[in-house]
Structures are given as C-alpha cells and as structure tokens.
Amino acid sequence: MNTQVHEADIRYPIGKFEAKPFSEDRRDEWIGDIAFLPRILEQAVHNLDETQLHTPYREGGWTVHQLVHHLADSHMNAFCRFKLGLTEENPTIKPYEEDLWVRTEDVSGIPINISLTILHALHKRWEALLKGFKEQDWQKTIYHPEHQKTISLWDLLGMYAWHGRHHTAHISALRERHGW
C-alpha cells in the first residue's frame, strides 16, 4: 500500500472540505452538524484514559486532548467570524497560529471537559444565530487575510460543519485503529 495515500487518509478521514451550492436541505444538515458536534465529540472521547487522551491521532499530529481544545478555540473564533460577517461589511478577520494555540498552558494544563463545556454553550448560541439567518445573510462575506480570500458565510458554515466532523473522525479512527 502506498504510505502517502495511507497518511492522507489518516489526515483527512472524511476527505477535504468541498464547497457546495446553497440549498435549504444542506443548510439544515450543516446547522445540525454545528448543533450536534458537542454531543458527538463527547461520545468520541467517552471513557478514554489519560494515556489515550495524550495519544496523537497520527504520527506528528495533535493528541486527542489537543484536538478537543483546538475545536473549542477554533469554534470560538468561528462564532466571532460569523457575527462580524453578519453585522459588518466584508470585515477582515484575525487569523491565529493554531499550532501555537494547542501548546499554550490553558490547553496542556486543563482537562478536556472544560472545552467540552465551552463547546456545548458556544454551539447552542451558534445554532441560534444561524437559525436566525435570512437567505440573503448567507451571501454576506468575511475577508481572510492569510488566504487573501473573501469567503461567504454560506461557505464558512460548510467549512465549520466539516471541521467538527473532520476532527471527531480523527478521534474515532484512532480509537478504531487501537481497538479502544
């Protein structure tokens, strides 16, 4: 087996994000992904011990512990990006160094239940925000300076719906590979 293909499968267990055109069914599905992520993530980490939580999902990758905290950090930023995009004209968002963020003391020294609690509360707010969007709100945009790209709130929704499923799949695939 080609190890590059195998490694790519581990890095992208559900594939890479692909933008999709707007549809009401897809909108409901993606908002559902946002709404249910905290519960699905909790199930993915259920009964993992400290050794398992500190196991990287792939060689050179983040640990399960870091993935959970990363999701809280990333999705807090995402929520702010949505609120900015909804209330301002094509605002420039602030990128951050996620590899450095997963190495800070609030990640290494805090149990994952803190970030799971953040995700439960944050995603409840995020779901309410998204359900209040009018169809034209999905066409509003943000500007991402790191990628030098304008992104619609519709595409942003798809990215973050994918993002939660992507990292949860890292954990589930790790559990499966190790028989946890």
Side-chain angles (χ1 to χ4, degrees):
M1 176 181 209
N2 181 336
T3 57
Q4 274 190 317
V5 169
H6 180 50
E7 182 66 17
D9 291 345
I10 290 172
R11 287 192 64 195
Y12 297 98
I14 64 169
K16 293 186 178 183
F17 170 71
E18 294 179 27
K20 307 260 188 206
F22 179 85
S23 77
E24 289 181 4
D25 287 343
R26 188 167 289 124
R27 176 201 61 206
D28 294 346
E29 175 189 339
W30 285 350
I31 292 174
D33 288 337
I34 298 298
F36 294 113
L37 172 71
R39 281 180 256 166
I40 293 167
L41 181 61
E42 250 183 344
Q43 291 171 351
V45 299
H46 185 68
N47 288 334
L48 292 179
D49 62 31
E50 283 301 309
T51 300
Q52 292 165 330
L53 288 171
H54 289 89
T55 302
Y57 77 92
R58 66 176 175 87
E59 187 175 331
W62 293 340
T63 66
V64 172
H65 182 96
Q66 289 173 315
L67 286 170
V68 172
H69 286 301
H70 163 70
L71 280 165
D73 288 342
S74 173
H75 290 198
M76 283 188 281
N77 275 285
F79 180 74
C80 292
R81 290 170 179 182
F82 272 90
K83 295 229 12 181
L84 288 167
L86 183 63
T87 61
E88 298 179 17
E89 184 71 29
N90 196 39
T92 299
I93 57 113
K94 173 79 172 88
Y96 64 99
E97 296 292 334
E98 58 187 27
D99 284 329
L100 297 177
W101 281 44
V102 298
R103 296 178 192 339
T104 58
E105 189 60 32
D106 65 305
V107 169
S108 62
I110 299 292
I112 63 169
N113 68 315
I114 302 300
S115 281
L116 288 169
T117 300
I118 287 170
L119 286 164
H120 276 284
L122 176 66
H123 279 242
K124 195 66 164 167
R125 293 261 321 263
W126 199 0
E127 177 189 12
L129 177 71
L130 296 171
K131 283 184 170 181
F133 272 35
K134 296 169 183 56
E135 191 167 336
Q136 66 269 22
D137 291 335
W138 296 113
Q139 298 313 308
K140 292 182 178 186
T141 59
I142 60 158
Y143 179 74
H144 198 304
E146 184 179 356
H147 300 295
Q148 297 184 354
K149 185 176 178 184
T150 296
I151 303 168
S152 72
L153 296 186
W154 172 250
D155 286 338
L156 203 62
L157 174 63
M159 284 185 243
Y160 283 105
W162 171 87
H163 185 253
R165 289 185 289 108
H166 166 72
H167 285 309
T168 302
H170 283 145
I171 297 165
S172 298
L174 175 68
R175 287 187 80 137
E176 190 173 315
R177 286 193 309 276
H178 286 278
W180 298 340

